[in-house]
Amino acid sequence: MSRIAYVNGQYVPHGEAAVHIEDRGYQFADGVYEVIPIVNGKMIGEKGHIDRLWRSMNELKMDAPMDPGPMKIVMREVLRLNKVETGLIYIQVTRGVAPRDHPFPDDAISSLVMTAKKTSLEAAEKKAEKGVGVITVPDIRWERCDIKSVSLLPNILAKQQAKEAGAYEAFQYDEDGNITEGSSTNAWMVDQDGTLITRPTNNSILAGITRAELLELLEQKNMKVELRAFSVEELRNAREVFLTSSSAYVQPVVEVDGKPIGNGQPGSISSELRHIFKDFMQN
Ligand code: PDD
């Protein structure tokens, strides 16, 4: 079955979907996006993702292409047309088409593109059972990492470096030697005393929806979390490490910079949290 994309009011075959060469997303990466998981027909964290999309647009003084209500209808139509029961929906908004000039155009209309793709829970499960490796790299991004912008060059370079090192993800560290986040994931660790730690949200990281949902589940279960920055050194000496994102859910990390974490197997807390999160998504 051919995939269908939504582009500025039209549902078109994925292979034919296109935007204007003077779209500011293409010219300047002047755009924002969201990636939302769907599991067994249920959208996970829809409100959080929609709220964050609006926040990103507001922070960049970008007009919304439509109201949240109609947008949710388009999202469901994209999922229906692509027969996605478990997968991801991608939403991108840019400042629209205008002759190339750095200042905001006076009268451009924001562009809206949506695509959906199927993913496999089983594949994610297999990966989680084995765990993945991460490397650490300097965070060379800007000071507004709280905005989910399509300007992703530093993230792409970090992820490529991870790939070339045979790792799944690159955890970035700031000038103080503290981990900020992964190139497309949030970072967590468990110290030798069993304390769960993740960085508090501010402009230095994206406020991950998976991170927020997991924090809420932890609170419901009376499981304590320390919200503080942790160093590369602490990460390397952690009892357990894991990462969260809309596409990886809760993913155990078993190696940092080529060295095993613990016994090199997914840790018990990471695995428990993965199951708790899986239950949350499936119920
Ligand atoms: N990435 N940090 C960064 C820099 C991200 O790009 C993402 C999401 C996250 C995790 O956020 P969430 O839990 O809301 O997905 C953290 C998406 C999946 C992506 O770029 O594909």
Side-chain angles (χ1 to χ4, degrees):
M1 188 213 65
S2 66
R3 287 175 71 195
I4 302 292
Y6 173 90
V7 184
N8 293 322
Q10 290 186 310
Y11 297 92
V12 289
H14 196 272
E16 291 164 29
V19 292
H20 196 283
I21 58 165
E22 283 198 308
D23 189 285
R24 289 177 64 93
Y26 180 67
Q27 293 285 357
F28 297 115
D30 188 3
V32 296
Y33 75 106
E34 280 298 327
V35 181
I36 309 172
I38 295 94
V39 173
N40 300 334
K42 183 175 125 187
M43 228 180 287
I44 312 297
E46 181 179 21
K47 183 179 182 314
H49 285 279
I50 291 288
D51 287 352
R52 188 172 67 185
L53 179 63
W54 254 258
R55 180 181 183 279
S56 293
M57 289 189 288
N58 286 337
E59 291 298 311
L60 297 175
K61 300 185 168 57
M62 197 176 284
D63 291 337
M66 58 176 64
D67 288 337
M71 188 174 288
K72 288 178 189 169
I73 292 170
V74 176
M75 286 159 67
R76 279 158 182 74
E77 186 62 1
V78 169
L79 291 177
R80 191 186 67 79
L81 290 170
N82 288 282
K83 300 191 168 58
V84 171
E85 279 292 309
T86 294
L88 295 166
I89 184 160
Y90 179 88
I91 307 173
Q92 177 170 312
V93 178
T94 75
R95 211 181 299 275
V97 176
R100 190 179 186 284
D101 194 13
H102 285 61
F104 299 169
D106 289 332
D107 47 13
I109 297 166
S110 295
S111 297
L112 175 60
V113 167
M114 271 190 223
T115 55
K117 73 168 182 184
K118 295 177 184 173
T119 58
S120 148
L121 273 189
E122 291 72 33
E125 196 60 28
K126 265 204 187 126
K127 205 179 212 160
E129 277 164 16
K130 260 183 76 188
V132 295
V134 304
I135 58 166
T136 54
V137 300
D139 195 335
I140 59 168
R141 300 175 302 163
W142 70 331
E143 291 180 3
R144 292 308 308 275
C145 296
D146 56 313
I147 298 171
K148 199 160 170 61
S149 154
V150 297
S151 311
L152 288 170
L153 268 179
N155 309 58
I156 288 166
L157 294 176
K159 191 75 103 186
Q160 179 63 19
Q161 210 177 318
K163 187 179 169 190
E164 286 171 11
Y168 172 75
E169 176 62 302
F171 280 1
Q172 304 161 100
Y173 56 85
D174 63 18
E175 285 176 350
D176 300 324
N178 289 324
I179 298 294
T180 51
E181 63 182 332
S183 66
S184 66
T185 59
N186 287 118
W188 300 65
M189 63 165 273
V190 180
D191 71 11
Q192 291 299 337
D193 299 326
T195 308
L196 254 174
I197 311 169
T198 196
R199 191 177 172 114
T201 51
N202 61 14
N203 291 2
S204 65
I205 66 168
L206 184 76
I209 304 302
T210 319
R211 175 190 173 283
E213 285 162 340
L214 186 61
L215 283 174
E216 208 176 302
L217 290 168
L218 288 165
E219 198 177 321
Q220 285 169 17
K221 295 192 183 295
N222 280 324
M223 288 170 79
K224 270 219 193 92
V225 186
E226 249 183 53
L227 292 181
R228 67 165 177 88
F230 55 85
S231 68
V232 173
E233 212 43 46
E234 285 182 276
L235 178 78
R236 288 188 181 141
N237 294 313
R239 186 198 277 185
E240 294 185 29
V241 177
F242 62 94
L243 53 84
T244 55
S245 82
S246 294
S247 49
Y249 316 128
V250 176
Q251 169 66 52
V253 171
V254 294
E255 211 178 271
V256 174
D257 291 327
K259 303 233 167 57
I261 295 296
N263 63 2
Q265 303 289 322
S268 57
I269 296 179
S270 316
S271 300
E272 187 192 346
L273 295 184
R274 173 158 185 94
H275 285 118
I276 289 174
F277 197 74
K278 205 173 149 202
D279 277 354
F280 156 75
M281 292 194 296
Q282 291 183 316
N283 292 305

Coordinates of all heavy atoms in Angstrom, one line a residue, residues 6 21 43 54 119 122 141 160 218 235 271 282:
Y6 N 0.3 14.4 4.2 CA -0.5 15.6 4.1 C 0.4 16.8 3.9 O 1.4 16.9 4.6 CB -1.3 15.8 5.5 CG -2.0 17.1 5.6 CD1 -3.3 17.2 5.2 CD2 -1.4 18.2 6.1 CE1 -4.0 18.4 5.4 CE2 -2.0 19.4 6.3 CZ -3.4 19.5 5.9 OH -4.0 20.7 6.0
I21 N 10.5 25.4 -3.2 CA 11.9 25.6 -2.8 C 12.2 26.8 -2.0 O 13.2 26.9 -1.3 CB 12.8 25.7 -4.1 CG1 12.4 26.8 -5.0 CG2 12.9 24.3 -4.8 CD1 13.5 27.2 -6.1
M43 N -3.0 7.0 20.4 CA -1.9 8.0 20.3 C -1.4 8.2 21.8 O -2.2 8.4 22.7 CB -2.5 9.3 19.8 CG -1.6 9.9 18.7 SD -2.2 11.4 18.0 CE -3.6 10.8 17.0
W54 N 2.7 23.9 20.1 CA 2.2 25.3 20.2 C 3.3 26.2 20.9 O 3.5 27.3 20.6 CB 0.9 25.3 20.8 CG -0.2 25.7 19.8 CD1 -0.8 26.9 19.5 CD2 -0.7 24.7 18.7 NE1 -1.6 26.8 18.4 CE2 -1.6 25.5 17.9 CE3 -0.5 23.4 18.4 CZ2 -2.2 24.9 16.8 CZ3 -1.1 22.9 17.4 CH2 -2.0 23.6 16.6
T119 N 5.7 1.2 12.8 CA 6.9 0.6 13.5 C 6.5 -0.7 14.2 O 5.3 -1.0 14.3 CB 7.5 1.6 14.6 OG1 6.4 1.9 15.5 CG2 7.9 2.9 14.0
E122 N 7.7 -5.3 18.5 CA 8.5 -6.4 18.7 C 10.0 -6.1 18.5 O 10.9 -6.5 19.3 CB 8.1 -7.6 17.8 CG 6.8 -8.2 18.1 CD 5.6 -7.3 17.7 OE1 5.7 -6.5 16.7 OE2 4.6 -7.3 18.4
R141 N 25.2 22.6 20.5 CA 23.9 23.3 20.1 C 23.7 24.7 20.6 O 24.6 25.2 21.4 CB 22.8 22.4 20.5 CG 22.8 21.0 19.9 CD 21.7 20.1 20.4 NE 21.8 19.9 21.8 CZ 20.8 19.5 22.6 NH1 19.7 19.1 22.0 NH2 20.9 19.4 23.9
Q160 N 25.5 10.7 13.9 CA 26.4 10.1 12.9 C 27.7 9.6 13.6 O 28.2 8.5 13.3 CB 26.8 11.1 11.8 CG 27.7 10.5 10.7 CD 27.1 9.4 10.0 OE1 25.9 9.1 10.0 NE2 28.0 8.6 9.3
L218 N 6.3 7.2 37.7 CA 7.2 7.0 38.9 C 6.6 7.6 40.1 O 6.6 7.0 41.2 CB 8.6 7.6 38.6 CG 9.4 6.9 37.6 CD1 10.6 7.7 37.2 CD2 9.9 5.5 38.2
L235 N 28.0 9.2 34.9 CA 27.4 8.3 33.9 C 28.2 7.1 33.7 O 27.7 5.9 33.7 CB 27.2 9.1 32.6 CG 26.6 8.3 31.4 CD1 25.1 8.2 31.6 CD2 27.0 9.0 30.1
S271 N 14.8 -2.1 33.2 CA 13.9 -3.1 32.6 C 12.5 -3.0 33.2 O 11.5 -3.1 32.5 CB 14.4 -4.5 32.8 OG 15.7 -4.6 32.1
Q282 N 0.0 0.4 26.5 CA -0.9 -0.6 25.9 C -2.3 -0.6 26.7 O -3.2 -1.4 26.3 CB -0.3 -2.0 26.0 CG 0.9 -2.0 25.0 CD 1.5 -3.4 24.9 OE1 1.8 -4.0 25.9 NE2 1.8 -3.9 23.7

